[in-house]
Amino acid sequence: MEKLSFVLPKGRLFDQTINILTRSGVIESLVNRDSRKLILETKEFRFMIVRPKDVPVYVESGIADFGVAGNDVLDEGEYDIYRPIDLGIGYCRIVVAGKPESREIYNSNISTLKVATKYPRIATRFFMDRGIKPIIYELYGSVELAPLVGLADFIVDIVETGTTLRENGLVVIDQIKESTAKLIVNRVSYKVKSDSVFPIIQRLESFGGGS
Ligand code: PRP
C-alpha cells in the first residue's frame, strides 16, 4: 500500500507531535531528527519537515495527506482543508503585548496604533473588529524587538512560557485567542484514502484529541 505523507512543523511543535504520534500508536518506528534532512521515511509514513507557516500549503495542495498546525498558522491563512482533531499539544496564546507604559495608550480611546507582527491578518482582523485601524509592520521573527526600539508600540505574537516577553521587559496587554495544535487533513485524501486515513484519525481521537 502507498505510504501516507505527513508534513511536520519544525521547531517547538516537532517533538510534541512525534511524541503524540508515537504514544497513540500511529507510528511505530523511530523518527530521528538529528540531521538536516527534509524528508524522513519510516515504515508507515513519508514525513516532510517544514517551517510551521508552510504546513497548510503542503496539505491543501495534496502533497501531504496530513499535517500539524496551530491556530496561529491556520487563522492567518484561508485554507481549504479538514481540521478534524485538536491534538491538545502546543498550547500557547496569541496576544497583544507591549511596554508596561503602553497599557495606558491601549486603554485610551485610540483610533490607530502601530503593531509589529508575524501575523498581519490576525492582527488586522482583531483591531478592525474593535474599530481601530492598525498600521502593521510585518516581521519574520524576534518581534519583541520592535517596541524596544520604537518601530511599533505593540506586538501581536504568540506567548508560550512568557520568557521572551519577560526578558525584554514587555507585558501582555490583551489576549486575542488561545491556540493548540490541530491535525489537518487534505480533503481529497480524506475521501479517497479513507481506509488508511480514518484509522489514524480514530487513534488520535481515542488517544485524547477532540474536535
Ligand atoms: C516565538 C514567539 C515569541 C516566543 C514566545 O518565537 O514569536 O518570540 O516564541 O515564546 P515564550 O513565551 O516561550 O518565550 P520563536 O521562538 O518561534 O522565534 P522567532 O521570533 O525567531 O520566530
Side-chain angles (χ1 to χ4, degrees), residues 19-35:
N19 193 288
I20 198 168
L21 292 177
T22 310
R23 287 192 298 137
S24 61
V26 170
I27 49 175
E28 285 167 16
S29 36
L30 204 64
V31 180
N32 239 332
R33 177 90 227 279
D34 44 15
S35 71

Side-chain angles (χ1 to χ4, degrees), residues 12 118 140-142 144 157-164:
R12 65 181 65 233
K118 290 188 268 190
Y140 291 90
S142 305
E144 291 82 0
D157 202 8
I158 56 166
V159 175
E160 191 181 358
T161 62
T163 309
T164 315

Side-chain angles (χ1 to χ4, degrees), residues 26 85 183 197-208:
V26 170
I85 302 179
L183 177 78
V197 164
F198 284 2
I200 289 166
I201 294 176
Q202 272 163 1
R203 263 179 194 274
L204 287 165
E205 247 165 7
S206 55
F207 188 71

Side-chain angles (χ1 to χ4, degrees), residues 166-183:
R166 210 166 33 247
E167 290 192 356
N168 291 289
L170 302 176
V171 293
V172 172
I173 291 177
D174 205 350
Q175 177 163 310
I176 297 181
K177 169 169 202 170
E178 292 180 310
S179 170
T180 47
K182 312 289 182 290
L183 177 78

Side-chain angles (χ1 to χ4, degrees), residues 86-169:
D86 186 336
L87 295 171
I89 55 171
Y91 175 81
C92 60
R93 300 187 296 147
I94 307 171
V95 303
V96 180
K99 290 185 185 173
E101 57 267 34
S102 297
R103 259 204 192 107
E104 214 174 309
I105 309 175
Y106 191 82
N107 292 327
S108 63
N109 207 1
I110 36 167
S111 58
T112 183
L113 45 74
K114 290 182 184 174
V115 186
T117 186
K118 290 188 268 190
Y119 306 103
R121 288 197 197 179
I122 292 175
T124 302
R125 236 178 1 241
F126 179 76
F127 288 115
M128 294 297 265
D129 282 352
R130 280 155 187 77
I132 298 168
K133 189 179 172 338
I135 299 163
I136 302 278
Y137 296 91
E138 184 174 359
L139 300 176
Y140 291 90
S142 305
V143 177
E144 291 82 0
L145 179 66
L148 303 180
V149 296
L151 177 66
D153 297 314
F154 303 96
I155 62 171
V156 164
D157 202 8
I158 56 166
V159 175
E160 191 181 358
T161 62
T163 309
T164 315
L165 287 185
R166 210 166 33 247
E167 290 192 356
N168 291 289

